[in-house]
Amino acid sequence: MNIGVKTNAKGGRLRRLFADPRNYQISVLSSLILLGLFRYGLHLPWWHVAGCVGATLTTQFAADKVIKRPFDPRSPLISALSLTLLLRTGSVTLSIAAGVIAIASKYLIRWRGKHIFNPANFGLVLLSLTFGAAWISPGQWGQATLFALLLLALGGVVTGKAKRWDVSLSLLGFYAALVFGRAVWLGDPLAIPIHQMQSGALLIFAFFMISDPKTTPDSRFGRVLFAGLVATVGFSIQFLLFNAAGIILALILCAPLVPFIDHLFPSGRYQWPTQFSLSRKSVTGDSHETLTPAE
Amino acid sequence: MKLSHLLSSAFAFGFIATASSANAFCGFYVAKAGTDLFNESSKVALVRDGDRTVITMANDYQGDLTEFAMVIPVPTAIKREQVHISDPALLKHLDAYTAPRLVEYFDDDPCAPQVMYEAMRSSTDVVVMTGTRQRAKSLGVTIEDEFTVGEYDIQLLSATQSDGLMTYLDENGYQVPIGANRILGSYIKQDMKFFIAKVNLEEQSKTGNEYLRPIAVAFESPKFMLPIRLGTLNARGDQDLFVYALTREGQVETTNYRTQKIPTGQELPVYIKDNFPDFYKSMYATSAKRDGGHGVFMEYAWDMGWCDPCAADPLSREELQELGVFWLPDSQNKPMPRGRRIMPQAQNVFVTRLHVRYDAKSFPEDLKFKTTGNKENYQGRYVLRHAYEGEMKCEAATDYKIAVNKRKDEEVKALANLTSWDRAEIWSDIEEAGVGKKFTITYKGDDRGPTWWKDIWGDK
């Protein structure tokens, strides 16, 4: 009996901890970083991580002060972790710059109370296009991570923590249709598109970048449409312009269309389920657009 | 003799080698010459900046020259003036400069003080490839250009469908295996052209060379890739490919496969000096095995202006130019300083050596590359530390010997971990080699064991 009660209590605490998808995302992204460090020999000095995390937190904190809004560290933390995972640079200054630019974009580039760009995506693309000393390594995750990633991601879908799993899965669906279609047209063996779908960078992008509830369209139909758009643009950049980071570039290119999609297919705006507080009490996000996420 | 060709594994990305593709590969030498290391491998230098590529393909083909033939898919049409016959010494030099290296350090007499000195060595080599002849239009094959450069007769083909191309190749003496049809079809749809070369025996005899020289091709295309699929068709097992990428900005990595770094910096038992090729081969295999048996490994990444330690001098300005580095500033032909440690020279060339081990299954897709802004230097470097073997007459000697023995344990552990060799076997090899054995420690007064208590209560 006692054991049962204890388990329930634990389950309750866990449920509360993961009630907000951001907590789940933070734990998964951190695990991926550790995996990268210890299993994949990712060259990631701690001061880069610290610099980037510090930059996003400080920027968010300062901006929240200015617009007088309660500060929540989770969204900037997610942005920082995503940047750390995908942006490669030898310069800590650029890591910090990426963090500042990512968060600043949330406050500066807005349309009807919603920010346009996924912050980490914005920082990532801007930095890698502007500075030679910062780049994206689409191959760094190889293929072997697939299972781990899928497990984590599907775990999120199943438990309903990744609120925007529809956009992730439709992106992968559209992208798969395109690469398999290409293979059939070329007469290539299916091993090739399977290999292409196993790209760790693609999966991280699908589950942890494009799935940001705040920058995807509000309606489900809009999100599926958006995923199709990003997949098509990304595929074109990758296979017609031969840029391996195609899908990441596609998101920044398609993001400005989200307001139009929202206009055409309106739906309720997403709110994070919990407000950050030091007490354990869960509060539903107050009014419109109170909390702004990273991912 | 009519050309009778077979696709073979010989040329990693080019292909269509003849039946007997005897590859010579001389390995990494530590002091002695001669061991074959990676015996079925290809060597390619890739100079890349913006959309411009200059590719130099080594040619160590040693079979019957009438059977030599090579077909390489290329992203764009190529004209006569874009093809150049290069000097084989260039790739050899590039290979030697970037090869994994052994460094030796010698302990000083613990009873007398300090100086340090290092030495090292290495080298490598590789490969083979192959060629073709004509008919045309009715098969949907267009001979875009046809010319002789050096000892090679070269054709540039474009095709509208793979059957026609297959027939064309077949009529010209190539036995192209079945699977090639699909792959050629895929390349045709991707708008690739086919660069076909065979040996012009008359021209070859004029050169007076026994060997075939490397072919260099310059072209402009956003595609930064190496076609490896044709080469895997008839491959017998794994293939090794060495890519030496020269860029202005920094390291080159693969975008559709993970580029990993080869383990480096470990201290190894000194007997490895005479077994470096064996060691390196086992270590590479073990590293690859940990990743499923195949992979892309970075063995060297360095600013071409210098090296430390140098396995060979950096390439000179002239050599770089010959390899196709087109962005060298117009300077007054300053010769590179020679010597064991070259100080930084503004060459503005960064070299990355990638060692790819692959087969058709683990590498279904052609290799795609990307230049990054990463200018971090990296090298596969292994350290031998020789213990002081002379007579030692002082108190410190015992401590020194204990420390050295401990170090040797660590070295054996490291070696076993890197190569998957058995530790007991390593110890017996050390015993057999007679170098780098542990010290037998004799303590004063003949009793065994450490004497740390003497430090407490004094030696009475």
Side-chain angles (χ1 to χ4, degrees):
Chain A
M1 286 299 114
N2 267 345
I3 293 167
V5 172
K6 266 187 192 158
T7 315
N8 276 343
K10 254 189 201 157
R13 212 173 307 147
L14 254 175
R15 253 203 302 283
R16 213 162 28 238
L17 187 63
F18 285 140
D20 193 302
R22 289 171 296 181
N23 298 348
Y24 174 77
Q25 206 165 355
I26 288 168
S27 45
V28 174
L29 290 173
S30 314
S31 317
L32 281 175
I33 289 178
L34 293 177
L35 192 74
L37 276 176
F38 295 110
R39 171 66 184 83
Y40 293 100
L42 210 66
H43 178 65
L44 197 58
W46 66 267
W47 56 91
H48 280 214
V49 185
C52 192
V53 168
T56 56
L57 289 177
T58 316
T59 311
Q60 173 110 358
F61 184 78
D64 281 346
K65 264 266 164 346
V66 171
I67 63 166
K68 299 197 174 60
R69 209 177 57 165
F71 168 70
D72 188 322
R74 288 176 294 190
S75 293
L77 193 57
I78 290 172
S79 293
L81 295 175
S82 304
L83 281 171
T84 308
L85 273 175
L86 293 167
L87 183 71
R88 300 272 66 86
T89 175
S91 146
V92 69
T93 318
L94 292 182
S95 282
I96 293 171
V100 173
I101 290 169
I103 302 301
S105 78
K106 286 203 297 194
Y107 294 88
L108 299 177
I109 312 172
R110 303 178 72 85
W111 180 255
R112 292 193 180 162
K114 197 170 167 182
H115 55 275
I116 306 272
F117 295 105
N118 173 303
N121 181 251
F122 189 79
L124 187 62
V125 173
L126 207 70
L127 263 280
S128 64
L129 290 184
T130 327
F131 296 94
W135 64 96
I136 302 167
S137 283
Q140 73 180 352
W141 292 97
Q143 271 65 41
T145 27
L146 171 75
F147 300 106
L149 251 177
L150 268 184
L151 219 67
L152 290 169
L154 290 177
V157 173
V158 170
T159 53
K161 296 314 165 213
K163 292 292 183 205
R164 289 298 189 251
W165 57 269
D166 51 3
V167 78
S168 305
L169 293 188
S170 33
L171 176 96
L172 289 176
F174 283 118
Y175 199 77
L178 289 165
V179 294
F180 278 91
R182 175 177 182 269
V184 169
W185 176 65
L186 290 176
D188 281 345
L190 292 186
I192 291 182
I194 290 171
H195 173 84
Q196 287 160 346
M197 288 308 293
Q198 284 178 354
S199 154
L202 174 70
L203 295 170
I204 291 180
F205 173 83
F207 287 109
F208 302 108
M209 188 166 272
I210 196 178
S211 58
D212 168 14
K214 289 287 188 174
T215 48
T216 42
D218 295 329
S219 70
R220 173 156 294 173
F221 182 78
R223 286 195 295 274
V224 173
L225 183 73
F226 182 63
L229 218 70
V230 172
T232 312
V233 173
F235 174 86
S236 311
I237 296 175
Q238 171 130 23
F239 293 100
L240 299 177
L241 302 177
F242 311 103
N243 186 327
I247 198 84
I248 292 171
L249 296 171
L251 180 60
I252 199 169
L253 291 174
C254 296
L257 296 175
V258 172
F260 297 105
I261 296 175
D262 278 342
H263 180 72
L264 293 174
F265 311 101
S267 182
R269 181 83 36 99
Y270 183 82
Q271 296 297 335
W272 294 116
T274 61
Q275 166 74 276
F276 177 80
S277 75
L278 292 174
S279 77
R280 225 189 266 137
K281 205 175 64 176
S282 282
V283 190
T284 314
D286 24 27
S287 74
H288 212 56
E289 221 8 59
T290 318
L291 299 171
T292 324
E295 288 316 282
Chain B
M1 185 200 141
K2 186 80 187 139
L3 297 171
S4 68
H5 298 290
L6 258 184
L7 264 185
S8 103
S9 58
F11 196 51
F13 72 96
F15 87 69
I16 305 211
T18 51
S20 60
S21 43
N23 299 310
F25 187 88
C26 358
F28 306 106
Y29 312 134
V30 180
K32 285 190 257 163
T35 330
D36 273 16
L37 192 41
F38 300 101
N39 44 15
E40 285 231 334
S41 50
S42 318
K43 266 198 307 195
V44 177
L46 276 177
V47 172
R48 172 86 176 181
D49 192 54
D51 282 349
R52 296 180 182 176
T53 304
V54 182
I55 176 171
T56 306
M57 297 160 283
N59 192 350
D60 287 1
Y61 179 74
Q62 305 211 320
D64 182 349
L65 290 182
T66 56
E67 293 195 0
F68 174 87
M70 170 171 82
V71 176
I72 303 169
V74 284
T76 65
I78 309 274
K79 292 198 167 62
R80 161 73 189 85
E81 57 271 24
Q82 287 169 264
V83 182
H84 174 74
I85 301 304
S86 200
D87 179 356
L90 279 178
L91 278 168
K92 288 212 167 84
H93 186 181
L94 191 53
D95 181 53
Y97 170 71
T98 58
R101 58 213 61 204
L102 261 186
V103 195
E104 282 180 301
Y105 293 95
F106 294 86
D107 283 2
D108 296 310
D109 181 351
C111 304
Q114 308 292 337
V115 192
M116 218 174 231
Y117 133 71
E118 40 180 72
M120 86 291 100
R121 253 322 168 64
S122 83
S123 152
T124 40
D125 269 42
V126 200
V127 212
V128 176
M129 37 218 211
T130 2
T132 171
R133 208 61 300 232
Q134 94 178 55
R135 184 178 104 176
K137 278 267 148 89
S138 60
L139 295 168
V141 176
T142 312
I143 301 168
E144 305 257 351
D145 209 347
E146 199 173 8
F147 45 85
T148 302
V149 186
E151 60 267 43
Y152 299 100
D153 283 332
I154 288 163
Q155 286 187 332
L156 191 87
L157 306 180
S158 64
T160 49
Q161 40 110 356
S162 59
D163 290 343
L165 183 59
M166 290 286 282
T167 311
Y168 178 84
L169 291 173
D170 191 51
E171 284 178 4
N172 288 282
Y174 294 90
Q175 288 175 13
V176 189
I178 309 143
N181 199 337
R182 269 179 101 182
I183 301 179
L184 291 174
S186 176
Y187 285 134
I188 291 169
K189 284 188 176 152
Q190 290 176 66
D191 210 19
M192 306 269 281
K193 314 285 181 215
F194 300 90
F195 181 94
I196 301 189
K198 70 181 192 89
V199 178
N200 182 317
L201 294 172
E202 209 173 297
E203 294 295 325
Q204 163 66 13
S205 63
K206 276 191 219 159
T207 66
N209 294 329
E210 302 265 304
Y211 53 83
L212 295 172
R213 291 173 292 173
I215 303 181
V217 182
F219 57 89
E220 199 158 334
S221 164
K223 290 184 191 172
F224 186 17
M225 51 91 76
L226 275 181
I228 57 169
R229 292 176 59 196
L230 284 167
T232 57
L233 264 184
N234 266 12
R236 303 172 291 268
D238 295 341
Q239 294 183 74
D240 285 283
L241 163 69
F242 292 87
V243 178
Y244 312 92
L246 300 161
T247 66
R248 205 197 300 241
E249 294 106 77
Q251 290 181 9
V252 166
E253 61 183 34
T254 38
T255 59
N256 53 345
Y257 300 97
R258 190 161 68 93
T259 303
Q260 16 187 349
K261 289 174 177 162
I262 200 78
T264 187
Q266 279 84 358
E267 292 188 5
L268 305 172
V270 293
Y271 87 99
I272 285 302
K273 182 172 178 174
D274 294 326
N275 299 293
F276 190 47
D278 274 349
F279 156 74
Y280 194 77
K281 218 170 139 180
S282 297
M283 190 199 69
Y284 186 90
T286 303
S287 305
K289 208 174 286 163
R290 287 182 181 145
D291 212 48
H294 303 94
V296 182
F297 289 88
M298 187 170 56
E299 292 182 327
Y300 195 75
W302 213 274
D303 186 310
M304 185 53 96
W306 63 299
C307 41
D308 180 18
C310 297
D313 289 345
L315 272 66
S316 68
R317 190 193 151 78
E318 291 70 34
E319 287 175 304
L320 290 172
Q321 191 149 0
E322 180 72 12
L323 278 171
V325 179
F326 53 84
W327 59 86
L328 293 168
D330 292 327
S331 81
Q332 43 297 13
N333 281 4
K334 254 191 265 154
M336 288 287 296
R338 300 263 151 176
R340 89 184 352 253
R341 189 178 295 217
I342 311 283
M343 290 323 285
Q345 284 278 308
Q347 286 278 41
N348 216 7
V349 179
F350 197 93
V351 61
T352 310
R353 172 190 175 114
L354 299 175
H355 180 172
V356 190
R357 175 163 294 173
Y358 64 97
D359 66 359
K361 193 159 173 277
S362 56
F363 279 65
E365 212 185 352
D366 287 331
L367 297 173
K368 294 179 185 169
F369 301 97
K370 155 177 194 139
T371 308
T372 72
N374 192 355
K375 285 208 164 179
E376 199 180 29
N377 292 328
Y378 185 84
Q379 59 181 340
R381 169 179 168 275
Y382 311 91
V383 181
L384 305 183
R385 286 178 63 189
H386 294 269
Y388 182 76
E389 301 278 1
E391 200 183 357
M392 290 171 267
K393 286 184 192 163
C394 64
E395 279 285 312
T398 311
D399 290 342
Y400 170 75
K401 287 176 181 172
I402 292 171
V404 167
N405 283 355
K406 214 166 152 191
R407 182 171 96 195
K408 292 192 166 154
D409 285 332
E410 292 301 319
E411 289 168 356
V412 169
K413 231 186 267 177
L415 179 61
N417 181 37
L418 286 178
T419 56
S420 312
W421 290 348
D422 180 60
R423 267 197 249 176
E425 268 170 41
I426 296 174
W427 281 118
S428 75
D429 286 347
I430 291 175
E431 203 59 38
E432 207 175 294
V435 291
K437 288 196 282 189
K438 276 185 165 181
F439 283 113
T440 324
I441 302 170
T442 48
Y443 297 94
K444 234 191 262 172
D446 171 55
D447 52 337
R448 304 228 178 108
T451 54
W452 56 270
W453 47 83
K454 287 181 187 163
D455 298 337
I456 312 174
W457 297 310
D459 189 6
K460 289 190 180 133

